[in-house]
Amino acid sequence: MRKIAVLVFILLIVVPLSYLGMLYVSAISTSYSISSVSFPQTTNLMEVLLSRQLDIKLYLRIEGHGPLSVPIKSFHAQIFFEDVYIGNIKTTEPFSIPASGTSTVPLTFHLDLSSISLSDIQRIVEAISSHNGEVKIGFDGYVEPIILFFPITVPIRYNVYSLTISDAPKITSMDLNELQTFHIMQNTT
């Protein structure tokens, strides 16, 4: 009977500690990246910078390498355009790290750029112009995975280049009959 009591006691200690350990490993072994960034309200970022209001939509790519799915309380980051501080972002909805898989979380934020100096805005605009419409966007922050009931802090630092304007033609309307005629004419030449 004593052996059974010792075995039950060990199981009551080892199993919860093992579970907590697997949650922790799943939380800290995760890779984060920004898969894409867009500016939904306009196609001209330079005009937005001058208006001092910016909506930014980013897609946070999460690669879980651990055995368990882990809930994330929040994502906090400072955003930099061409190494100029633009503002802070924070999620309002929780999401999770997948167990040994990948997920993409769309996040939309509104930034007030009124505290940015005109010289910094000019520097950003000149950088965008010299990079053919691309801007370097830096994120420096952290995510808060929840281990049991306690959030831990995992730092994230990531840079991505994003195209702010596109010279590609935009389709405003399309007629299926015209499209079929085009393909027929294309095949005969």
Side-chain angles (χ1 to χ4, degrees):
M1 189 55 107
R2 181 170 161 80
K3 289 181 183 181
I4 293 174
V6 169
L7 182 62
V8 168
F9 178 74
I10 290 173
L11 287 176
L12 288 175
I13 299 297
V14 171
V15 170
L17 288 178
S18 296
Y19 178 73
L20 286 175
M22 287 191 303
L23 275 174
Y24 182 76
V25 166
S26 295
I28 64 169
S29 67
T30 302
S31 301
Y32 302 93
S33 62
I34 306 297
S35 61
S36 70
V37 178
S38 64
F39 308 99
Q41 85 271 23
T42 186
T43 57
N44 189 345
L45 182 60
M46 290 180 244
E47 288 177 11
V48 172
L49 289 171
L50 295 173
S51 75
R52 307 291 187 124
Q53 300 296 314
L54 175 65
D55 290 331
I56 184 169
K57 185 168 189 172
L58 62 94
Y59 293 87
L60 181 65
R61 187 169 192 258
I62 305 168
E63 286 185 54
H65 301 290
L68 299 174
S69 177
V70 181
I72 294 179
K73 177 182 173 185
S74 63
F75 165 66
H76 303 260
Q78 294 179 328
I79 296 182
F80 300 86
F81 283 3
E82 299 295 335
D83 300 322
V84 174
Y85 172 76
I86 297 296
N88 292 319
I89 58 175
K90 177 183 177 183
T91 58
T92 56
E93 297 292 321
F95 50 97
S96 65
I97 298 169
S100 298
T102 302
S103 69
T104 302
V105 179
L107 305 168
T108 303
F109 304 98
H110 178 76
L111 298 173
D112 179 9
L113 309 177
S114 59
S115 63
I116 299 171
S117 71
L118 287 176
S119 62
D120 283 341
I121 289 178
Q122 182 180 2
R123 187 172 132 205
I124 294 169
V125 169
E126 288 172 359
I128 291 170
S129 296
S130 68
H131 294 111
N132 295 323
E134 282 191 333
V135 63
K136 176 183 168 188
I137 304 173
F139 298 91
D140 187 8
Y142 60 93
V143 293
E144 292 181 305
I146 300 172
I147 307 300
L148 204 50
F149 301 108
F150 306 102
I152 63 170
T153 301
V154 178
I156 296 177
R157 179 171 279 151
Y158 194 77
N159 289 314
V160 63
Y161 282 89
S162 179
L163 189 61
T164 61
I165 55 174
S166 174
D167 293 333
K170 293 180 176 62
I171 298 174
T172 56
S173 67
M174 183 178 352
D175 184 355
L176 184 59
N177 292 329
E178 290 178 18
L179 188 61
Q180 289 173 340
T181 304
F182 173 74
H183 285 297
I184 293 170
M185 289 182 352
Q186 187 179 20
N187 288 335
T188 59
T189 57

